[in-house]
Structure formats: structure tokens, C-alpha cells
């Protein structure tokens, strides 16, 4: 069996705050962390995801399962077990981990190899943090059987807190992703006139994002007076509004933004409605600053929402962004994705990134929305991808 073993820790710096991770593990009562999600493995490894498995996990009778084992206080004993098809990639760019083994074929053997290596290193294995939502049942059972008497605990929040504050490199990737998503949407709007179907718009946006170096993730779009945001044969006709909401991935980091367009000139009512949404967005932006409570964003937005004419059909949402949509900071327990609002009562920190979105589902004018990505800076906030915030005109670039 082909094997690659790299001694990377001697020449490569650990790409995350190991002392912070140690503190988080201590507070959570963990001796060792076993990361198995592609996004957390990417973060901890400080390396690009396995290129063969960037889009898929299934292979043969099993699935791809990257396993990074990090012992608290002993990064020099960390282990990474990857698939054998990662061998060349990890040889070209060796990560920091002391032992990199690219010799697994599926989920169970990857976990068992990792456990064997970390046991050989003499690491305590009584309290083991795992990613419950990203650990297949077969691998989880194998892990539990291999560690009789060990307590398996969910480490999701530990890893979320570790990633909550972004590095300068992460912020640069999020900014690039956001700017390229906006540029892609504006290109598609400008090139498509009346009669274009929603499916054609979605397909064109996919091409525009890929041409700019993004991995296309999704396109939610609504036109006319419909609130249905699935690609379809519905046509974007003269006078119709169009909402484009898309996620484009840049080296693992998500640009998630929404912009508006119309076929023809927007009338006064449409201008007023988008202005009301913009006012809510700006009020929320103004609450983003270091030391402010996460809940201050909602307080500011709700205050502005109370003043708009379409309050009854307008909603506000703010959530964390990064490698995962709706990651920390978590600001509301009442949003569309269920989780606790732990960060609503905590101060915002420089390097945190928040998606801020205001959505008006008007009964006759349609789906009107702005969504922006905002980073907390040492002095306030920065908007990533600020262009195209008004009514963009369909087909004006034909």
C-alpha cells in the first residue's frame, strides 16, 4: 500500500492559534480532538482540501474521510490521515503536522489508522472530542470500539470558537469571494434582457463565477411577483424585478451576497422599497464594532425596521460567515437555522465576519433583498463586495 509520511512540523508554522485551541479543549474537558469535516480539517491542516474530493465524498463502498488528530498541549504529536489519492498533493505542499499518512481508502480504515498512530504516541485517549455531525456511523462505531471506556464528546463548538476570529489571510479570501460574487451577478444582469428564464440566469451565474476563479455553490433567484427562488422556466420579463442570491467559494471561504435588478427602469415604489431595505442594512452595519454586543446588530436593525412602510413583510437576519455559512458568531436563536444565540451576549471582536441581510417578500412587487458580508475591524467595520447595491438594469450590457 502506498504511503506518504511527512515530517512537516519542523519547517512549517502551525496555521492556527494552538494555545487558544488548548484553552478551549481544557474548558470543554477534552484530551484529544478528532476532526473529520473537510472544512475543519482544511482549517487545522492549513492546506487546500484534497482536490479529488473537493466536490464529492462517496467512492466505491465507502466515502472519503480526512482525519486530523490533535492532542491538547502536544501539537508535535498531531496526526493526519488522508486518502491515498492525496499523496502527491501533500508531497508538493507538506502541512505542519508531524505525521501525514495518505494511505486510507474509506471511513473506517482512516479512523483506525489515526487511532493507532495517536495511541503509539502515548496520548491520553479518555476524553475524545469528535465532530458528531461529520463522523459516519461506521467510523464512529469503530472509534468507540477501539477506545473502550473513552468518553466521546461533540467538539463542534470548540472548533467554532477557534474559527470565530479570522486571520488576515482568511479575511482577504472572504473579501475576494464577496467581490467576485458581486462582479459575477452584475455581469449576468447586464447581459440578459427580457424573456430570459431563471434557469438560464442560474446557469450563466455559474459560468461567471467559475470564470472568476470561484467554486459555484448555489444560486437562489426570484423574479416578477413570485417568491419562489428555484431555477425554473419562469421568464424575467419587462418590468419584473429579479433577486439574485448566490454563494461562491474561494479556496474554501464563502462569498454570500444578494443584489437586485429590474427589466426597464424602476418606478418610484420600487426605489422606495429598496431604499427602506438599504436603510435597515446601514443601521445594522453601524452597530458592528469591537466591544459591541452581538445583539446590538439586531437592536439597531429592529429600530430601523419599525420605521419602514413594509414592516409586515420584511425580515432581518445576521449570521456568521467563513468556511461555513451560519458559523460563529451566532447572533439569534430565532433565525431559519436553529442554534443558540451564544454570541448575542458576547462582545464582537476584530476579525469576526457577519452576513447581514434584509428581505422584503412583497405580495405584488416580489422578492426584494440585500445581503452583505461585513467584517469587524479594530475601529468599526468593513463591507466586503459593496458594489451593485441599487436597482441594476437588466440587459444594459447587451
Amino acid at each position: 500500500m502506498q504511503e506518504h509520511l511527512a515530517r512537516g512540523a519542523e519547517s512549517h508554522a502551525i496555521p492556527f492559534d494552538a494555545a487558544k485551541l488548548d484553552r478551549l479543549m481544557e474548558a470543554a474537558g477534552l484530551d484529544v480532538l478528532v476532526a473529520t469535516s473537510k472544512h475543519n480539517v482544511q482549517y487545522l491542516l492549513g492546506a487546500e482540501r484534497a482536490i479529488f474530493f473537493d466536490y464529492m465524498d462517496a467512492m466505491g463502498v465507502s466515502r472519503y474521510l480526512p482525519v486530523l488528530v490533535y492532542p491538547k498541549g502536544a501539537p508535535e504529536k498531531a496526526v493526519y490521515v488522508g486518502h491515498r489519492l492525496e499523496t502527491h498533493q501533500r508531497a508538493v505542499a507538506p502541512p505542519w503536522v508531524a505525521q501525514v499518512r495518505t494511505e486510507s481508502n474509506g471511513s473506517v480504515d482512516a479512523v483506525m489508522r489515526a487511532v493507532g498512530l495517536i495511541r503509539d504516541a502515548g496520548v491520553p485517549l479518555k476524553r475524545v472530542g469528535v465532530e458528531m455531525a461529520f463522523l459516519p456511523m461506521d467510523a464512529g462505531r469503530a472509534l468507540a470500539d477501539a477506545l473502550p471506556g473513552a468518553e466521546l464528546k461533540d467538539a463542534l463548538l470548540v472548533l467554532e470558537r477557534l474559527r470565530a476570529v479570522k486571520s488576515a489571510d482568511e479575511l482577504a479570501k472572504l473579501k475576494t469571494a464577496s467581490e467576485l460574487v458581486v462582479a459575477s451577478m452584475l455581469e449576468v444582469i447586464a447581459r440578459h434582457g427580457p424573456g430570459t428564464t431563471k434557469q438560464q440566469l442560474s446557469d450563466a451565474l455559474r459560468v461567471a463565477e467559475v470564470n472568476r476563479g470561484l467554486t459555484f455553490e448555489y444560486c437562489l433567484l426570484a423574479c416578477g411577483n413570485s417568491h419562489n427562488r428555484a431555477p425554473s422556466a419562469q421568464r424575467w420579463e419587462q418590468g419584473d424585478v429579479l433577486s439574485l442570491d448566490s454563494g461562491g467559494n474561494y479556496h474554501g471561504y464563502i462569498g454570500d451576497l444578494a443584489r437586485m435588478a429590474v427589466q426597464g427602469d424602476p418606478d418610484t415604489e420600487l426605489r422606495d422599497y429598496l431604499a427602506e431595505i438599504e436603510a435597515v442594512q446601514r443601521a445594522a452595519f453601524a452597530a458592528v464594532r469591537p466591544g459591541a454586543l452581538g445583539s446590538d446588530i439586531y437592536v439597531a436593525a429592529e429600530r430601523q425596521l419599525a420605521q419602514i412602510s413594509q414592516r409586515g413583510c420584511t425580515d432581518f437576519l445576521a449570521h456568521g460567515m467563513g468556511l461555513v455559512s451560519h458559523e460563529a458568531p451566532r447572533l439569534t436563536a430565532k433565525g431559519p437555522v436553529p442554534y443558540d444565540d451564544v454570541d448575542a451576549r458576547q462582545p464582537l471582536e476584530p476579525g469576526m465576519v457577519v452576513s447581514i441581510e434584509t428581505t422584503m417578500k412583497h405580495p405584488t412587487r416580489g422578492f426584494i433583498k440585500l445581503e452583505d458580508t461585513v467584517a469587524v475591524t479594530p475601529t468599526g467595520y468593513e463591507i466586503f463586495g459593496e458594489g451593485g447595491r441599487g436597482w441594476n438594469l437588466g440587459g444594459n450590457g447587451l
Side-chain angles (χ1 to χ4, degrees):
M1 182 174 294
Q2 191 176 28
E3 172 184 323
H4 172 62
L5 172 61
R7 297 287 178 182
E10 299 172 0
S11 57
H12 296 275
I14 297 175
F16 57 88
D17 188 338
K20 180 179 180 180
L21 178 54
D22 291 341
R23 293 192 300 271
L24 290 167
M25 291 176 66
E26 178 66 26
L30 300 179
D31 299 315
V32 64
L33 177 67
V34 180
T36 50
S37 67
K38 287 193 285 191
H39 59 278
N40 275 320
V41 167
Q42 174 185 340
Y43 183 83
L44 295 170
L45 203 61
E48 296 287 341
R49 299 180 187 183
I51 55 177
F52 193 85
F53 297 101
D54 194 22
Y55 295 94
M56 64 175 182
D57 293 327
M59 188 172 187
V61 296
S62 188
R63 56 160 288 166
Y64 172 63
L65 190 72
V67 183
L68 192 147
V69 184
Y70 176 89
K72 182 183 65 181
E76 71 280 359
K77 295 181 179 180
V79 169
Y80 175 65
V81 174
H83 196 276
R84 57 187 178 79
L85 291 176
E86 291 179 61
T87 301
H88 295 164
Q89 187 177 350
R90 303 309 174 199
V92 169
W96 67 273
V97 180
Q99 290 198 72
V100 176
R101 300 291 187 99
T102 52
E103 56 190 25
S104 71
N105 293 289
S107 55
V108 173
D109 71 311
V111 164
M112 295 308 297
R113 290 174 189 278
V115 170
L117 290 167
I118 205 70
R119 184 187 281 122
D120 290 345
V123 172
L125 292 168
K126 291 298 183 183
R127 303 175 301 171
V128 181
V130 300
E131 296 187 78
M132 292 291 189
F134 297 93
L135 184 61
M137 182 175 287
D138 59 356
R141 284 177 173 169
L143 180 63
D145 290 344
L147 302 174
E151 181 184 9
L152 300 185
K153 305 173 71 173
D154 196 354
L156 184 145
L157 291 181
V158 167
L159 290 163
E160 287 280 288
R161 301 323 305 174
L162 179 67
R163 301 198 326 265
V165 174
K166 274 58 178 175
S167 67
D169 180 64
E170 290 180 286
L171 292 171
K173 289 176 180 176
L174 282 163
K175 184 174 184 178
T176 296
S178 301
E179 291 174 344
L180 294 180
V181 167
V182 170
S184 299
M185 290 193 290
L186 295 183
E187 174 190 313
V188 169
I189 291 167
R191 291 187 175 182
H192 291 83
T196 307
T197 68
K198 288 168 62 180
Q199 185 64 62
Q200 289 172 325
L201 290 165
S202 178
D203 292 343
L205 187 59
R206 178 189 297 271
V207 172
E209 290 186 5
V210 170
N211 283 343
R212 287 174 168 81
L214 296 173
T215 297
F216 175 86
E217 292 203 348
Y218 57 85
C219 174
L220 305 174
L221 69 172
C223 70
N225 60 9
S226 172
H227 299 163
N228 186 303
R229 297 203 289 166
S232 70
Q234 181 187 358
R235 296 184 182 278
W236 183 28
E237 301 291 5
Q238 187 69 22
D240 285 350
V241 304
L242 172 71
S243 167
L244 280 181
D245 185 340
S246 181
N249 186 306
Y250 184 75
H251 296 277
Y253 290 83
I254 304 169
D256 179 19
L257 299 99
R259 293 293 184 261
M260 294 302 304
V262 63
Q263 287 291 357
D265 293 323
D267 56 38
T268 299
E269 186 177 58
L270 286 179
R271 291 182 185 276
D272 289 345
Y273 289 165
L274 192 56
E276 290 185 342
I277 291 174
E278 174 74 359
V280 176
Q281 292 289 101
R282 292 291 174 182
F285 297 164
V288 177
R289 61 184 181 279
L293 296 181
S295 59
D296 289 349
I297 297 174
Y298 270 85
V299 170
E302 291 291 344
R303 186 182 299 120
Q304 186 62 39
L305 278 169
Q307 301 179 35
I308 71 173
S309 66
Q310 302 300 308
R311 178 65 187 94
C313 61
T314 305
D315 295 316
F316 176 81
L317 178 64
H319 60 84
M321 286 299 301
L323 284 166
V324 177
S325 183
H326 285 266
E327 66 178 36
R330 304 194 186 280
L331 304 172
T332 180
K334 299 178 181 179
V337 179
Y339 44 70
D340 293 332
D341 58 346
V342 293
D343 293 289
R345 299 172 295 278
Q346 300 294 327
L348 298 171
E349 301 177 50
M352 287 183 167
V353 179
V354 181
S355 176
I356 292 176
E357 50 186 293
T358 305
T359 305
M360 181 185 296
K361 297 179 182 178
H362 196 276
T364 60
R365 302 314 304 265
F367 197 98
I368 306 175
K369 175 180 181 178
L370 289 176
E371 181 174 9
D372 296 285
T373 299
V374 181
V376 185
T377 69
T379 58
Y381 67 89
E382 180 183 357
I383 303 171
F384 291 166
E386 194 171 1
R389 308 182 61 79
W391 283 108
N392 299 290
L393 305 184
N396 70 342
L398 292 176

